[in-house]
Amino acid sequence: MTIYELIEILKTNHYKITAQRKALLQVMAEHADTLLLVDTIYEATKKRYPKTNMSTVYRNLEILESLDLLHKVANENGAMQYKLICCHHHHHHLICSQCGKIEAIDYCPLETLKEIAADKDFQLTAHKLELIGLCKHCAKKK
Amino acid sequence: MTIYELIEILKTNHYKITAQRKALLQVMAEHADTLLLVDTIYEATKKRYPKTNMSTVYRNLEILESLDLLHKVANENGAMQYKLICCHHHHHHLICSQCGKIEAIDYCPLETLKEIAADKDFQLTAHKLELIGLCKHCAKKK
DNA sequence: TTTGGTGCAAAGCGTTTGCACCCGC
DNA sequence: GCGGGTGCAAACGCTTTGCACCAAA
């Protein structure tokens, strides 16, 4: 999604477009394929808009998440990471454990999972499939 | 794994068996099929050993994790959850979103995942497949 | 002009740590 | 008795909040 589209969505939802908010959107759009720590987002936003404040970053991330524009997950230490939602069709991910880069894959074993859940008398509401490893770039470095 | 086996492993690794540590092991063994929040573990341990202290709980959980006896994950809010590792053979899980109960399943699409990773020039090191939903018991309640 | 956005500082919460004391071995 | 285990309190890192001020619409 482009920054312009994101801004339109914010306007439609009656949010004001401030310089800081725009800077944060640009940061998220530039790294649309990577899960970013809040602190990383903060530092990158500060480069574009030096007055950027951490609490404002948190507040804006929360707004974007509530509009279903951001995906939020806790990393293994419990710190929050965000990334722009790329699209709304169902898919899974390749995740680089080194740099956090994410790539979508289309494979999904849903039909099989449904059978397994039914066998176990389990009411399936969601599922998660993640492939963790090293992207081409990071594998080369090692 | 029984408490006796767990205690043996601790002894082998030169850890002392204290009343508090034993109480915590009993709690973990009683809920071997459930991801527990640290605070839940703390409260349950206190019932068995009232002097139980939160920092001791954390220190013991850390020891058990370092011995590869506990599985540690951050929940969606970033708080840590633990459960006894049931066995070391590879498998995935059904997870009840209501009560946290976990059940193992044997299905694993590893062969397919290997192909996908190879196609994308991605060096696969791990993968995660989780089925989220309601267990029989919680589905009935709703 | 109005109302939401922001900076700052303080509080909140889960987790870790330093230190003196305790207790299993 | 020794060395690891513990309780307590304080510090920690990340996140949230209250309030006065600022600026987009």
Side-chain angles (χ1 to χ4, degrees):
Chain A
M1 200 159 345
T2 69
I3 304 148
Y4 306 102
E5 292 172 298
L6 293 168
I7 288 177
E8 280 317 306
I9 295 177
L10 282 173
K11 281 186 184 169
T12 307
N13 286 277
H14 312 296
Y15 288 106
K16 294 175 183 171
I17 309 305
T18 64
Q20 181 171 175
R21 191 165 278 171
K22 216 187 274 183
L24 186 142
L25 288 177
Q26 287 174 328
V27 167
M28 297 312 293
E30 264 175 14
H31 303 277
D33 61 352
T34 309
L35 274 177
L36 301 173
L37 285 165
V38 178
D39 195 64
T40 310
I41 298 170
Y42 171 59
E43 291 299 337
T45 306
K46 228 157 68 167
K47 280 193 188 140
R48 295 180 166 274
Y49 186 78
K51 280 199 285 171
T52 295
N53 181 278
M54 187 57 110
S55 33
T56 307
V57 168
Y58 273 107
R59 286 190 271 232
N60 278 313
L61 290 173
E62 197 187 329
I63 288 171
L64 295 171
E65 198 207 350
S66 75
L67 292 174
D68 212 16
L69 297 174
L70 285 188
H71 180 65
K72 175 188 186 181
V73 261
N75 75 0
E76 64 284 359
N77 302 312
M80 289 307 170
Q81 294 182 299
Y82 290 85
K83 98 181 245 316
L84 276 183
I85 285 180
C86 45
C87 61
H88 286 84
H89 96 259
H90 178 77
H91 61 251
H92 298 291
H93 291 117
L94 291 169
I95 303 172
C96 178
S97 55
Q98 201 67 27
C99 68
K101 192 183 166 195
I102 289 194
E103 192 172 344
I105 54 174
D106 279 327
Y107 169 73
C108 174
L110 183 59
E111 290 312 313
T112 314
L113 303 185
K114 277 184 186 166
E115 286 172 30
I116 293 170
D119 276 357
K120 303 264 188 181
D121 232 328
F122 185 84
Q123 188 178 317
L124 195 64
T125 56
H127 66 280
K128 206 188 284 186
L129 170 62
E130 293 173 354
L131 316 201
I132 296 109
L134 295 172
C135 69
K136 211 189 300 190
H137 188 245
C138 290
K140 210 178 282 174
K141 276 192 192 162
K142 288 222 151 172
Chain B
M1 202 158 346
T2 69
I3 305 149
Y4 306 102
E5 291 172 299
L6 293 167
I7 288 177
E8 281 316 305
I9 296 177
L10 283 173
K11 281 186 183 169
T12 309
N13 287 277
H14 313 295
Y15 288 106
K16 294 176 182 170
I17 309 306
T18 64
Q20 181 171 175
R21 191 165 278 171
K22 215 188 276 183
L24 186 142
L25 288 177
Q26 288 175 326
V27 167
M28 297 313 293
E30 264 175 14
H31 304 278
D33 62 352
T34 309
L35 274 176
L36 300 173
L37 285 165
V38 178
D39 195 63
T40 309
I41 298 170
Y42 171 59
E43 291 299 338
T45 306
K46 227 155 69 167
K47 279 192 189 141
R48 294 181 167 274
Y49 185 78
K51 279 200 283 170
T52 295
N53 181 278
M54 188 58 110
S55 32
T56 307
V57 168
Y58 274 107
R59 286 190 270 233
N60 279 313
L61 290 173
E62 197 188 328
I63 289 171
L64 295 172
E65 197 206 350
S66 74
L67 293 174
D68 211 16
L69 297 175
L70 284 189
H71 179 65
K72 175 188 185 181
V73 262
N75 74 1
E76 62 285 356
N77 301 312
M80 292 305 172
Q81 293 182 298
Y82 291 85
K83 95 181 249 314
L84 276 182
I85 285 181
C86 44
C87 62
H88 286 83
H89 98 258
H90 178 78
H91 62 250
H92 299 290
H93 290 117
L94 291 169
I95 304 173
C96 178
S97 55
Q98 201 69 26
C99 68
K101 190 181 168 196
I102 288 194
E103 190 170 348
I105 54 174
D106 280 326
Y107 168 74
C108 174
L110 183 60
E111 290 312 313
T112 314
L113 302 185
K114 277 183 186 165
E115 286 172 30
I116 292 171
D119 277 357
K120 302 264 187 181
D121 232 329
F122 184 85
Q123 189 178 318
L124 195 64
T125 57
H127 66 280
K128 204 187 286 185
L129 171 62
E130 293 173 353
L131 316 201
I132 296 108
L134 295 173
C135 69
K136 209 188 303 188
H137 188 245
C138 290
K140 209 178 284 175
K141 276 192 192 162
K142 287 218 153 173

